[in-house]
Amino acid sequence: MFYAGLALNGLAIGCVAALAAVGLLATYRVTGVFNIAFGAIAVFCAYVMWQCVRVWGMPVGVAAVLVLGIVAPGIGLALERLVYRPLRRAGASGLLVATLGVLVLQLGLVFLLWGGRSSVDAPSLLPAGDVRLPGALRLPFATIVELCVVALVAAVLTVVLKATRAGLMVRAVVDDRDLAAALVPADRLAAAGWAFGSFLAGLAGVLWAPVYHLDPYSLTLTVLETMGVAVLARLTSLPVAVGAALAIGVGQTELTAVHPAPRWQGLVDAFHTNLFVLVLFAALMVLPRLGIRDAGAIGGGLHRAGARRPSSPDPVSRLPLGALSLASVLPLFFDPADLRAALAVPALAVVFVSLVVATGYAGQISLGQAGYAGLGALFMAKLADGGVPWLAALFLGPLLVVPVGWFTGAVSVDKGVAIHRRGLYLALTTFATAAVVARFVFAQPVFVGGLTVFRPPGFTDDHWFYGLELACLVLALLLVRALHTGPLGRALAALRDSEAAAVSAGVDVRRMKVFVFACAAGLAGLGGALTASAAQAFNPTDFDPVQGLVWFAAVAVWGVDSAVGAVVGAAALVAVDAGTVVGVSGLLIGVGAVLLGRFPGGIGAAVRRAGHWLATPAGRPVGKRRLSPAGRAVATRLRAGRTG
């Protein structure tokens, strides 16, 4: 049944989604970078708008000119000049992590400046009132304005990119910037593209904030879910993106008229409120590939500088075990409040180690670890409530997450396109999986309502529970050691460095990917179960998909191929959050991720390089140590000839 009145309401939602999708596509078409930080830019601009109007008392028009005319384009110009221009030779992996760093950095700023508070009084930029249509229908003025803006932006971009000299120059810059720089102002074109894309992000955030309440994580995720529209357009067609956004917006409101049996109403409501994330997930499942300029597995790009050879010892074995043991037991001597905060460290470290397995060792980027961790916590709590002994439930819950990881890995290599589903495409797939789990599982009372999480007798004391967490962390590190050594470690290294070369060497890429995702999902599930048990509650915000992006950026900063770095990074993240105000950790992680393109390998690689430099005897040239016996003989004859 089609209801015209509901369809008109859906146009308003579709228009804002279309603006967001057009902004993503415009940035990608002009710069060649898929801007995952788009949602964070939108949220930051929405908060600035709220600050100008609600706190400083500016008129809405003046605030709109300031935010959309100065702040939003200024963010794009600053990012292009300070972040993306220096990284234009970093490859797809460096640029992808840089966009994640920008996202985390801006969310950190939001938390630092506004405390992450949610607001329901975001100012509306659009006029009130409506137009009367035949059949007693009313079309709001706001919807008319949004439709005109979307149509104008899409039409202008289509004409400029396809039928003008400027569009030809833009395509030349995206295809080969160094070559095009000799003929066209490449830097200016890229700066204009980033400024325009940030303007559209700010516009989408300002328009969407009054519809959805102003919240850092929720609004960011809402904007990011519109990536499904860009995916449907294969990152190439602006008209398809606009049409798809409008159709999804109309479909979302039409679902409000569906009233099935009461037992199914909750499911229909979930579809109604989360149609965009469903489209994102379904599009990634169906489309075999996108119009993505992808450089391959991201893990290799992140760790290439300072990387270890596949046959080198496991990083865990290189760690001064005495120092690690001493640091790990120190919280047992903390006061009760500090010990309670320290309970989060081993649990988060297990989740971080799962990222090392998936991305650092196998090169398969995963932005969905928050979803796996939340499922592990949920399954553990359900099993314990059902009468399963708690210690058994602690490990059985994560085992039930393994099939979810297996499914993700199987999807990434489905239909024989393993060489193509990697990098950005794989990142979007794993993020969409986490978003679907968050919206359809963690946000549904039928699954989490009335859920109780407890610790069994013997582990109610924080000291004993912390000891159990350390034991679980040791088990996770032992698994990492097993995966990093021997033939399996060499196969994972080949998969990380080059999937094509791994296939040529006889590695079963499909089976290896599925195995890696299953292991990583199980480890993340264990970390999530420990997190919920430490807090003695299941909190869906702890497993928000945007939180998973922060975790990935943190692991990348500390060294995505270092299990030790993952443990230290988890401890540092918890310590900064506990010892400072909210937002500082996001700023530090964001800055580190942005700089990762200039200093590949993260902090772990920097420490290894520093250790190698310190181990070099003073005054002894490194080059002489690397000469073979024949080379030394030649060098001796050359010196003798010069002295003679």
Side-chain angles (χ1 to χ4, degrees):
M1 192 69 179
F2 180 79
Y3 296 93
L6 293 176
L8 293 178
N9 294 332
L11 288 177
I13 299 174
C15 285
V16 183
L19 280 175
V22 168
L24 281 169
L25 265 64
T27 305
Y28 180 75
R29 294 283 299 274
V30 175
T31 66
V33 179
F34 190 82
N35 188 15
I36 294 180
F38 191 90
I41 297 173
V43 169
F44 184 82
C45 292
Y47 269 96
V48 174
M49 183 74 176
W50 177 87
Q51 178 77 19
C52 291
V53 176
R54 302 302 182 199
V55 180
W56 295 339
M58 288 186 182
V60 174
V62 175
V65 172
L66 174 65
V67 174
L68 301 180
I70 298 176
V71 175
I75 291 173
L77 292 174
L79 292 177
E80 191 280 331
R81 184 65 184 87
L82 301 177
V83 178
Y84 298 112
R85 187 184 298 183
L87 293 179
R88 63 178 181 266
R89 293 185 179 88
S93 59
L95 290 171
L96 178 59
V97 176
T99 60
L100 286 175
V102 172
L103 182 145
V104 175
L105 179 63
Q106 291 201 296
L107 286 179
L109 281 174
V110 169
F111 277 97
L112 190 62
L113 296 176
W114 292 282
R117 67 169 64 91
S118 298
S119 301
V120 295
D121 60 341
S124 178
L125 185 62
L126 299 175
D130 52 39
V131 176
R132 185 183 299 272
L133 299 177
L137 298 176
R138 293 182 178 274
L139 181 63
F141 287 132
T143 303
I144 297 175
V145 173
E146 290 171 344
L147 283 171
C148 294
V149 171
V150 169
L152 179 63
V153 170
V156 169
L157 280 175
T158 301
V159 172
V160 169
L161 292 176
K162 291 188 175 182
T164 65
R165 184 174 180 272
L168 180 62
M169 290 191 296
V170 165
R171 293 195 297 272
V173 170
V174 172
D175 291 338
D176 194 329
R177 182 164 179 166
D178 292 331
L179 180 61
L183 304 174
V184 299
D187 291 339
R188 292 183 182 179
L189 287 172
W194 278 108
F196 184 70
S198 295
F199 162 76
L200 291 180
L203 183 59
V206 169
L207 292 179
W208 229 331
V211 180
Y212 303 91
H213 67 280
L214 194 57
D215 179 82
Y217 279 173
S218 177
L219 189 57
T220 299
L221 181 58
T222 300
V223 177
L224 286 177
E225 287 170 357
T226 61
M227 291 188 300
V229 178
V231 171
L232 281 177
R234 294 177 180 257
L235 303 184
T236 56
S237 176
L238 291 172
V240 171
V242 173
L246 295 177
I248 296 169
V250 170
Q252 184 166 302
T253 54
E254 289 291 334
L255 282 174
T256 59
V258 178
H259 299 289
R263 59 184 298 184
W264 302 109
Q265 187 61 49
L267 182 62
V268 173
D269 291 341
F271 273 85
H272 150 241
T273 56
N274 302 295
L275 193 56
F276 279 99
V277 70
L278 275 178
V279 170
L280 173 62
F281 184 76
L284 289 167
M285 296 299 103
V286 173
L287 297 178
R289 68 183 70 181
L290 301 175
I292 296 176
R293 302 171 185 87
D294 204 346
I298 191 171
L302 287 179
H303 89 300
R304 194 160 286 133
R308 294 175 296 273
R309 298 180 63 87
S311 59
S312 64
D314 179 47
V316 176
S317 65
R318 293 184 172 188
L319 183 72
L321 294 181
L324 178 61
S325 301
L326 178 62
S328 63
V329 300
L330 278 180
L332 294 174
F333 302 96
F334 289 174
D335 60 67
D338 291 336
L339 175 58
R340 176 58 61 90
L343 292 179
V345 174
L348 187 60
V350 174
V351 178
F352 280 15
V353 166
S354 73
L355 280 168
V356 172
V357 171
T359 304
Y361 293 169
Q364 306 306 304
I365 184 172
S366 177
L367 302 182
Q369 300 306 104
Y372 301 140
L375 286 176
L378 182 61
F379 290 152
M380 180 272 298
K382 291 288 187 181
L383 289 172
D385 279 347
V388 177
W390 183 83
L391 276 178
L394 179 65
F395 293 99
L396 287 176
L399 283 178
L400 294 178
V401 185
V402 170
V404 182
W406 176 91
F407 170 77
T408 306
V411 166
S412 70
V413 296
D414 193 22
K415 299 180 181 179
V417 291
I419 303 303
H420 301 288
R421 290 200 175 191
R422 55 187 183 182
L424 177 58
Y425 198 0
L426 191 56
L428 294 178
T429 302
T430 53
F431 176 79
T433 302
V436 167
V437 170
R439 297 294 200 186
F440 284 87
V441 180
F442 303 157
Q444 301 305 316
V446 67
F447 295 118
V448 300
L451 189 65
T452 59
V453 181
F454 59 90
R455 302 179 198 166
F459 293 99
T460 55
D461 182 77
D462 287 343
H463 294 81
W464 286 104
F465 186 79
Y466 183 79
L468 175 64
E469 286 187 306
L470 288 182
C472 293
L473 177 58
V474 170
L475 289 176
L477 293 176
L478 290 176
L479 176 61
V480 168
R481 180 184 177 88
L483 291 175
H484 191 68
T485 56
L488 181 58
R490 289 191 290 273
L492 289 176
L495 176 64
R496 175 195 64 203
D497 294 335
S498 173
E499 291 185 10
V503 171
S504 301
V507 176
D508 189 336
V509 170
R510 186 185 190 282
R511 183 174 298 178
M512 193 63 63
K513 273 190 175 184
V514 173
F515 172 74
V516 165
F517 272 105
C519 290
L523 282 174
L526 177 60
L530 292 173
T531 299
S533 298
Q536 300 186 68
F538 180 85
N539 187 358
T541 59
D542 291 338
F543 310 109
D544 190 279
V546 179
Q547 184 67 52
L549 303 182
V550 178
W551 292 347
F552 183 90
V555 174
V557 167
W558 283 93
V560 75
D561 63 336
S562 172
V564 173
V567 176
V568 177
L573 180 60
V574 173
V576 171
D577 283 339
T580 62
V581 297
V582 177
V584 174
S585 62
L587 289 176
L588 296 177
I589 293 172
V591 171
V594 167
L595 296 176
L596 197 61
R598 302 186 185 187
F599 306 98
I603 296 176
V607 171
R608 289 195 296 270
R609 289 192 293 267
H612 177 73
W613 179 79
L614 291 175
T616 302
R620 183 177 179 183
V622 178
K624 183 177 291 186
R625 295 170 55 226
R626 296 180 178 177
L627 291 177
S628 65
R632 286 195 295 271
V634 172
T636 301
R637 289 196 296 270
L638 289 174
R639 285 195 296 271
R642 284 195 295 267
T643 56

